[in-house]
Amino acid sequence: MFTKKRKRIIRQILPFALIPGMFSVVQTILEKGILGDHPVYPSTGNPYSSTVLIPLLTSLFIGFSIGLFEVLYVNKWFQNRRFYEKILFKFFLYVLAIIFATLIIIITRHSIGQGLNPFDSIVLDYVYSFFSNFAFWSILCYYSLAIGVSLFYKEVSDNIGQGASLNFLTGKYHQPKVENRVFMFLDMKSSTAHAEKLGHIKYFQMLKDYYADISLPILDFDGEIYQYVGDEIVITWEPKTNKEAADVINCFYGMKNTLLNQHSKYDESYGITPTFKAAIHYGQVTTGEIGLVKKDFVFTGDTLNTTARIQGLCNNYGVDLIVSQNFIDILDGIGSFNFTTLGNVALRGRSEKIEIYKAEENKSQIA
């Protein structure tokens, strides 16, 4: 069964398979146009076949393997590097890995086929002949370009969001759309006091760690990070079922538990552990792509303003999480949560009152 985390990992890996796959198809078409029905490659004398299946499958396999290592391991090694450094370092790492893997395969196949020691002069002469041929290096350059494009796409996607990059490519919001979405406005508690205590640079470093830690639960519960506004983060969902709606609150407690588990790290580095308060609301927004020099996706409508106003009431009521009646309606009773009404309240800039609730985990049901 595919968990949400596994689905997210697969979505990150797929471009590494699909982009080289497309490159292999283009290469096959170009070769067919140049060689036509010629039986061999002129530069090597090797048999030529115009079939696309074998190059495509090979590219998909190699690309998927690189993507797997990239997402699970390599990306962590370079996460603190600059954008261009990540791409260049990883590009050369993968190209060297392909050359090394090709070397091992060529030596193994030829030594076994000839019944010779891998270091026999005949085997080594064949290896030298293979690697000194321009045909090999031309193919390597072509597929290295595919790897470079894959890495560039991944880094851009990581910076603007996986969902946002796909939306840009597909043009999903090129024309404005009306959607029903859940928004969570999450604000760090006592941020001003923290900044005064730590100073600008150290506070900013804590903010980076804080956002990095809470991002994992957001991804695990399929949230989309819409904006960072100082020490506030705006997260959105487009739930199709009440179970997906319940994941919004699960995400809140997932972030909370993550920070609790990192208490010793924050205490040691900063002498404080950041905490937060949040509001959740559901409603209609208009979603669209704007900007000429700089493209961006924006949500507009009363839903965002209402969520921000509700979040501002957390301090008034001394609670960490407030949800609206609109959101409770789409939950339809699912989830291990208790809701205590805080009454019908009038929000600044809004003519109609709205019912809001204090939300808490139901510990007995969880146990």
Side-chain angles (χ1 to χ4, degrees):
M1 180 179 178
F2 287 107
T3 62
K4 289 183 177 181
K5 184 176 181 179
R6 287 177 180 172
K7 288 179 181 177
R8 174 165 54 86
I9 290 173
I10 290 174
R11 284 196 299 267
Q12 291 177 301
I13 292 173
L14 277 179
F16 284 91
L18 297 179
I19 292 174
M22 289 188 290
F23 269 67
S24 72
V25 172
V26 172
Q27 183 196 22
T28 303
I29 294 172
L30 291 174
E31 285 182 343
K32 179 63 177 177
I34 295 171
L35 298 178
D37 296 323
H38 206 280
V40 297
Y41 288 98
S43 61
T44 62
N46 291 329
Y48 164 68
S49 172
S50 61
T51 180
V52 73
L53 184 60
I54 294 177
L56 176 60
L57 292 177
T58 302
S59 298
L60 290 174
F61 175 76
I62 294 174
F64 190 87
S65 300
I66 290 175
L68 189 66
F69 278 98
E70 164 66 19
V71 173
L72 296 182
Y73 305 106
V74 180
N75 189 51
K76 299 174 185 176
W77 305 341
F78 297 94
Q79 61 184 358
N80 293 322
R81 292 284 185 175
R82 295 181 179 90
F83 181 87
Y84 75 91
E85 289 177 340
K86 290 180 183 180
I87 294 178
L88 287 177
F89 290 163
K90 289 191 281 190
F91 173 78
F92 286 113
L93 176 65
Y94 291 132
V95 171
L96 288 173
I98 291 175
I99 294 173
F100 181 75
T102 303
L103 174 65
I104 297 300
I105 292 171
I106 293 299
I107 290 177
T108 302
R109 287 184 59 186
H110 201 66
S111 62
I112 292 175
Q114 298 290 327
L116 300 171
N117 186 293
F119 298 101
D120 190 278
S121 60
I122 296 176
V123 176
L124 296 179
D125 286 343
Y126 179 82
V127 171
Y128 175 78
S129 175
F130 180 88
F131 279 95
S132 61
N133 194 299
F134 179 76
F136 166 74
W137 293 104
S138 64
I139 293 173
L140 180 66
C141 286
Y142 189 75
Y143 282 99
S144 296
L145 178 61
I147 294 171
V149 172
S150 303
L151 287 170
F152 183 81
Y153 175 80
K154 179 188 177 297
E155 293 303 326
V156 170
S157 297
D158 286 349
N159 277 271
I160 68 174
Q162 297 289 332
S165 61
L166 187 60
N167 290 336
F168 271 124
L169 287 175
T170 59
K172 180 178 179 181
Y173 296 116
H174 189 65
Q175 296 297 325
K177 292 186 176 182
V178 175
E179 299 177 322
N180 290 309
R181 281 184 170 268
V182 172
F183 283 89
M184 178 192 291
F185 278 55
L186 186 143
D187 188 38
M188 184 190 293
K189 292 181 180 180
S190 306
S191 57
T192 303
H194 295 337
E196 289 177 352
K197 176 183 177 181
L198 297 173
H200 294 296
I201 299 299
K202 198 162 187 180
Y203 172 72
F204 187 82
Q205 186 58 56
M206 186 196 73
L207 205 59
K208 284 181 64 177
D209 290 343
Y210 166 74
Y211 280 142
D213 287 335
I214 66 175
S215 291
L216 293 178
I218 293 171
L219 293 173
D220 288 342
F221 289 103
D222 291 336
E224 300 174 37
I225 297 174
Y226 172 46
Q227 284 181 336
Y228 295 103
V229 187
D231 54 19
E232 184 177 74
I233 182 171
V234 181
I235 314 162
T236 183
W237 287 260
E238 193 178 5
K240 299 296 190 297
T241 65
N242 55 355
K243 184 179 182 301
E244 290 179 357
D247 280 343
V248 178
I249 301 187
N250 289 329
C251 177
F252 174 87
Y253 288 105
M255 291 185 286
K256 196 171 184 179
N257 291 331
T258 296
L259 291 179
L260 286 174
N261 292 335
Q262 296 289 339
H263 169 73
S264 58
K265 178 187 78 173
Y266 285 101
D267 190 53
E268 182 179 336
S269 300
Y270 308 106
I272 54 174
T273 299
T275 55
F276 53 80
K277 54 187 182 293
I280 300 172
H281 181 49
Y282 173 76
Q284 198 172 78
V285 294
T286 301
T287 311
E289 182 181 318
I290 65 167
L292 182 62
V293 177
K294 179 183 180 296
K295 295 286 186 181
D296 204 355
F297 292 113
V298 297
F299 301 103
T300 61
D302 178 65
T303 300
L304 284 92
N305 296 327
T306 300
T307 313
R309 300 286 185 264
I310 295 172
Q311 192 274 321
L313 297 175
C314 287
N315 287 340
N316 295 359
Y317 291 99
V319 297
D320 290 341
L321 178 60
I322 297 178
V323 302
S324 68
Q325 181 67 59
N326 295 34
F327 177 71
I328 290 179
D329 288 342
I330 65 168
L331 279 178
D332 196 25
I334 195 171
S336 302
F337 315 113
N338 289 328
F339 300 106
T340 305
T341 183
L342 299 174
N344 268 314
V345 298
L347 302 175
R348 181 165 54 88
R350 198 172 191 270
S351 58
E352 295 181 8
K353 290 186 176 182
I354 185 170
E355 183 87 9
I356 59 173
Y357 297 81
K358 172 185 176 181
E360 295 177 301
E361 283 184 301
N362 190 327
K363 299 293 186 180
S364 61
Q365 287 190 31
I366 295 174

Short mmCIF file of all heavy atoms in Angstrom, two decimals, residues 165-196:
data_model
loop_
_atom_site.label_atom_id
_atom_site.label_comp_id
_atom_site.label_asym_id
_atom_site.label_seq_id
_atom_site.Cartn_x
_atom_site.Cartn_y
_atom_site.Cartn_z
N SER A 165 5.17 23.98 -9.31
CA SER A 165 5.92 23.77 -10.55
C SER A 165 5.10 22.99 -11.57
O SER A 165 5.12 23.30 -12.76
CB SER A 165 7.23 23.02 -10.25
OG SER A 165 6.97 21.75 -9.68
N LEU A 166 4.35 21.99 -11.10
CA LEU A 166 3.50 21.22 -12.00
C LEU A 166 2.36 22.09 -12.53
O LEU A 166 2.00 22.00 -13.72
CB LEU A 166 2.94 20.01 -11.27
CG LEU A 166 2.16 18.99 -12.11
CD1 LEU A 166 3.05 18.43 -13.21
CD2 LEU A 166 1.62 17.87 -11.25
N ASN A 167 1.83 22.95 -11.68
CA ASN A 167 0.76 23.85 -12.13
C ASN A 167 1.25 24.84 -13.18
O ASN A 167 0.53 25.17 -14.12
CB ASN A 167 0.18 24.62 -10.93
CG ASN A 167 -0.61 23.73 -10.00
OD1 ASN A 167 -1.12 22.68 -10.41
ND2 ASN A 167 -0.71 24.11 -8.74
N PHE A 168 2.49 25.32 -13.02
CA PHE A 168 3.07 26.21 -14.01
C PHE A 168 3.22 25.49 -15.35
O PHE A 168 2.90 26.05 -16.41
CB PHE A 168 4.44 26.71 -13.55
CG PHE A 168 4.38 27.98 -12.74
CD1 PHE A 168 4.95 28.03 -11.48
CD2 PHE A 168 3.78 29.12 -13.24
CE1 PHE A 168 4.91 29.19 -10.72
CE2 PHE A 168 3.73 30.29 -12.49
CZ PHE A 168 4.29 30.32 -11.23
N LEU A 169 3.72 24.26 -15.31
CA LEU A 169 3.94 23.50 -16.54
C LEU A 169 2.64 23.18 -17.27
O LEU A 169 2.56 23.25 -18.50
CB LEU A 169 4.70 22.20 -16.23
CG LEU A 169 6.18 22.35 -15.89
CD1 LEU A 169 6.76 21.00 -15.48
CD2 LEU A 169 6.96 22.90 -17.07
N THR A 170 1.62 22.80 -16.51
CA THR A 170 0.35 22.41 -17.11
C THR A 170 -0.55 23.60 -17.40
O THR A 170 -1.55 23.47 -18.12
CB THR A 170 -0.40 21.43 -16.20
OG1 THR A 170 -0.65 22.06 -14.92
CG2 THR A 170 0.42 20.16 -15.98
N GLY A 171 -0.21 24.77 -16.82
CA GLY A 171 -1.05 25.95 -17.02
C GLY A 171 -2.41 25.84 -16.34
O GLY A 171 -3.39 26.41 -16.81
N LYS A 172 -2.44 25.12 -15.22
CA LYS A 172 -3.71 24.87 -14.54
C LYS A 172 -4.43 26.16 -14.16
O LYS A 172 -5.66 26.25 -14.25
CB LYS A 172 -3.45 24.03 -13.28
CG LYS A 172 -4.71 23.70 -12.49
CD LYS A 172 -4.38 22.83 -11.28
CE LYS A 172 -5.64 22.51 -10.48
NZ LYS A 172 -5.34 21.68 -9.29
N TYR A 173 -3.66 27.17 -13.72
CA TYR A 173 -4.28 28.41 -13.26
C TYR A 173 -3.97 29.59 -14.18
O TYR A 173 -3.99 30.74 -13.75
CB TYR A 173 -3.80 28.73 -11.83
CG TYR A 173 -4.24 27.70 -10.82
CD1 TYR A 173 -3.32 26.92 -10.14
CD2 TYR A 173 -5.59 27.49 -10.55
CE1 TYR A 173 -3.72 25.97 -9.21
CE2 TYR A 173 -6.00 26.55 -9.63
CZ TYR A 173 -5.06 25.79 -8.96
OH TYR A 173 -5.46 24.85 -8.04
N HIS A 174 -3.69 29.28 -15.45
CA HIS A 174 -3.45 30.37 -16.40
C HIS A 174 -4.70 31.24 -16.52
O HIS A 174 -4.61 32.46 -16.67
CB HIS A 174 -3.06 29.80 -17.77
CG HIS A 174 -2.61 30.85 -18.73
ND1 HIS A 174 -1.46 31.58 -18.55
CD2 HIS A 174 -3.16 31.30 -19.89
CE1 HIS A 174 -1.32 32.44 -19.55
NE2 HIS A 174 -2.34 32.29 -20.37
N GLN A 175 -5.86 30.60 -16.44
CA GLN A 175 -7.13 31.31 -16.32
C GLN A 175 -7.64 31.14 -14.90
O GLN A 175 -7.57 30.03 -14.36
CB GLN A 175 -8.17 30.76 -17.32
CG GLN A 175 -7.80 30.96 -18.79
CD GLN A 175 -7.69 32.42 -19.17
OE1 GLN A 175 -8.44 33.26 -18.65
NE2 GLN A 175 -6.76 32.74 -20.06
N PRO A 176 -8.12 32.20 -14.25
CA PRO A 176 -8.56 32.11 -12.85
C PRO A 176 -9.63 31.04 -12.65
O PRO A 176 -10.48 30.83 -13.52
CB PRO A 176 -9.12 33.51 -12.56
CG PRO A 176 -8.51 34.39 -13.57
CD PRO A 176 -8.31 33.55 -14.80
N LYS A 177 -9.54 30.36 -11.51
CA LYS A 177 -10.52 29.32 -11.17
C LYS A 177 -11.06 29.55 -9.77
O LYS A 177 -10.32 30.00 -8.87
CB LYS A 177 -9.88 27.93 -11.23
CG LYS A 177 -9.49 27.47 -12.62
CD LYS A 177 -8.99 26.05 -12.60
CE LYS A 177 -8.68 25.54 -14.00
NZ LYS A 177 -8.23 24.13 -13.98
N VAL A 178 -12.33 29.24 -9.59
CA VAL A 178 -12.95 29.32 -8.27
C VAL A 178 -12.84 27.94 -7.63
O VAL A 178 -13.23 26.93 -8.23
CB VAL A 178 -14.42 29.76 -8.36
CG1 VAL A 178 -15.08 29.71 -6.99
CG2 VAL A 178 -14.53 31.15 -8.95
N GLU A 179 -12.28 27.89 -6.42
CA GLU A 179 -12.06 26.63 -5.72
C GLU A 179 -12.53 26.73 -4.27
O GLU A 179 -12.59 27.82 -3.71
CB GLU A 179 -10.57 26.27 -5.71
CG GLU A 179 -9.94 26.08 -7.07
CD GLU A 179 -8.45 25.80 -6.98
OE1 GLU A 179 -7.78 26.40 -6.12
OE2 GLU A 179 -7.96 24.99 -7.77
N ASN A 180 -12.85 25.58 -3.71
CA ASN A 180 -13.13 25.47 -2.28
C ASN A 180 -11.89 24.91 -1.60
O ASN A 180 -11.46 23.80 -1.92
CB ASN A 180 -14.34 24.58 -2.02
CG ASN A 180 -15.63 25.22 -2.48
OD1 ASN A 180 -15.92 26.36 -2.13
ND2 ASN A 180 -16.41 24.50 -3.28
N ARG A 181 -11.32 25.68 -0.68
CA ARG A 181 -10.07 25.28 -0.06
C ARG A 181 -10.10 25.50 1.45
O ARG A 181 -10.84 26.33 1.96
CB ARG A 181 -8.90 26.09 -0.64
CG ARG A 181 -8.41 25.59 -1.99
CD ARG A 181 -7.21 26.36 -2.46
NE ARG A 181 -6.60 25.72 -3.62
CZ ARG A 181 -5.63 24.82 -3.57
NH1 ARG A 181 -5.14 24.47 -2.39
NH2 ARG A 181 -5.14 24.29 -4.66
N VAL A 182 -9.24 24.73 2.12
CA VAL A 182 -8.98 24.92 3.54
C VAL A 182 -7.69 25.71 3.67
O VAL A 182 -6.71 25.45 2.96
CB VAL A 182 -8.83 23.58 4.28
CG1 VAL A 182 -8.37 23.80 5.72
CG2 VAL A 182 -10.14 22.81 4.26
N PHE A 183 -7.70 26.68 4.58
CA PHE A 183 -6.48 27.45 4.87
C PHE A 183 -6.16 27.34 6.35
O PHE A 183 -7.05 27.37 7.20
CB PHE A 183 -6.65 28.91 4.49
CG PHE A 183 -6.55 29.16 3.01
CD1 PHE A 183 -7.68 29.08 2.21
CD2 PHE A 183 -5.34 29.45 2.42
CE1 PHE A 183 -7.60 29.28 0.85
CE2 PHE A 183 -5.25 29.66 1.05
CZ PHE A 183 -6.38 29.58 0.26
N MET A 184 -4.85 27.22 6.62
CA MET A 184 -4.35 27.28 7.99
C MET A 184 -3.36 28.44 8.07
O MET A 184 -2.38 28.47 7.32
CB MET A 184 -3.66 25.98 8.40
CG MET A 184 -3.09 26.04 9.83
SD MET A 184 -1.98 24.65 10.24
CE MET A 184 -3.12 23.27 10.27
N PHE A 185 -3.63 29.38 8.94
CA PHE A 185 -2.69 30.45 9.24
C PHE A 185 -2.00 30.09 10.55
O PHE A 185 -2.66 30.00 11.59
CB PHE A 185 -3.41 31.79 9.38
CG PHE A 185 -3.69 32.46 8.06
CD1 PHE A 185 -4.39 31.81 7.06
CD2 PHE A 185 -3.27 33.76 7.84
CE1 PHE A 185 -4.66 32.43 5.85
CE2 PHE A 185 -3.53 34.39 6.63
CZ PHE A 185 -4.22 33.73 5.63
N LEU A 186 -0.70 29.89 10.47
CA LEU A 186 0.06 29.41 11.62
C LEU A 186 1.10 30.46 12.00
O LEU A 186 1.89 30.90 11.15
CB LEU A 186 0.72 28.07 11.27
CG LEU A 186 1.46 27.33 12.38
CD1 LEU A 186 1.24 25.83 12.22
CD2 LEU A 186 2.95 27.64 12.32
N ASP A 187 1.10 30.88 13.26
CA ASP A 187 1.94 31.98 13.72
C ASP A 187 2.76 31.56 14.93
O ASP A 187 2.24 30.96 15.87
CB ASP A 187 1.04 33.17 14.08
CG ASP A 187 1.84 34.43 14.39
OD1 ASP A 187 2.84 34.67 13.70
OD2 ASP A 187 1.45 35.14 15.32
N MET A 188 4.05 31.87 14.91
CA MET A 188 4.92 31.53 16.04
C MET A 188 4.57 32.39 17.25
O MET A 188 4.37 33.60 17.13
CB MET A 188 6.39 31.73 15.68
CG MET A 188 7.36 31.32 16.78
SD MET A 188 9.07 31.82 16.46
CE MET A 188 9.48 30.79 15.06
N LYS A 189 4.52 31.75 18.41
CA LYS A 189 4.26 32.49 19.64
C LYS A 189 5.51 33.25 20.10
O LYS A 189 6.63 32.75 19.94
CB LYS A 189 3.82 31.54 20.76
CG LYS A 189 2.47 30.88 20.57
CD LYS A 189 2.17 29.99 21.77
CE LYS A 189 0.83 29.29 21.67
NZ LYS A 189 0.56 28.43 22.84
N SER A 190 5.29 34.41 20.68
CA SER A 190 6.37 35.21 21.31
C SER A 190 7.54 35.46 20.36
O SER A 190 8.70 35.50 20.79
CB SER A 190 6.88 34.51 22.58
OG SER A 190 5.81 34.23 23.47
N SER A 191 7.24 35.63 19.09
CA SER A 191 8.32 35.80 18.11
C SER A 191 9.13 37.07 18.35
O SER A 191 10.36 37.08 18.18
CB SER A 191 7.74 35.80 16.70
OG SER A 191 6.77 36.83 16.56
N THR A 192 8.46 38.15 18.75
CA THR A 192 9.17 39.40 19.02
C THR A 192 10.16 39.24 20.17
O THR A 192 11.31 39.69 20.09
CB THR A 192 8.18 40.54 19.34
OG1 THR A 192 7.25 40.68 18.25
CG2 THR A 192 8.91 41.86 19.55
N ALA A 193 9.71 38.57 21.23
CA ALA A 193 10.59 38.34 22.38
C ALA A 193 11.77 37.45 21.98
O ALA A 193 12.91 37.67 22.42
CB ALA A 193 9.80 37.70 23.51
N HIS A 194 11.50 36.43 21.16
CA HIS A 194 12.58 35.55 20.69
C HIS A 194 13.61 36.34 19.89
O HIS A 194 14.82 36.15 20.05
CB HIS A 194 12.02 34.42 19.83
CG HIS A 194 11.12 33.47 20.57
ND1 HIS A 194 11.18 33.30 21.92
CD2 HIS A 194 10.15 32.62 20.11
CE1 HIS A 194 10.29 32.39 22.30
NE2 HIS A 194 9.64 31.98 21.21
N ALA A 195 13.13 37.22 19.01
CA ALA A 195 14.03 38.00 18.16
C ALA A 195 14.90 38.93 18.99
O ALA A 195 16.10 39.10 18.74
CB ALA A 195 13.23 38.80 17.13
N GLU A 196 14.30 39.53 20.02
CA GLU A 196 15.06 40.43 20.90
C GLU A 196 16.11 39.66 21.69
O GLU A 196 17.22 40.15 21.90
CB GLU A 196 14.10 41.14 21.86
CG GLU A 196 13.22 42.18 21.17
CD GLU A 196 12.24 42.82 22.13
OE1 GLU A 196 12.14 42.34 23.30
OE2 GLU A 196 11.55 43.78 21.73
#
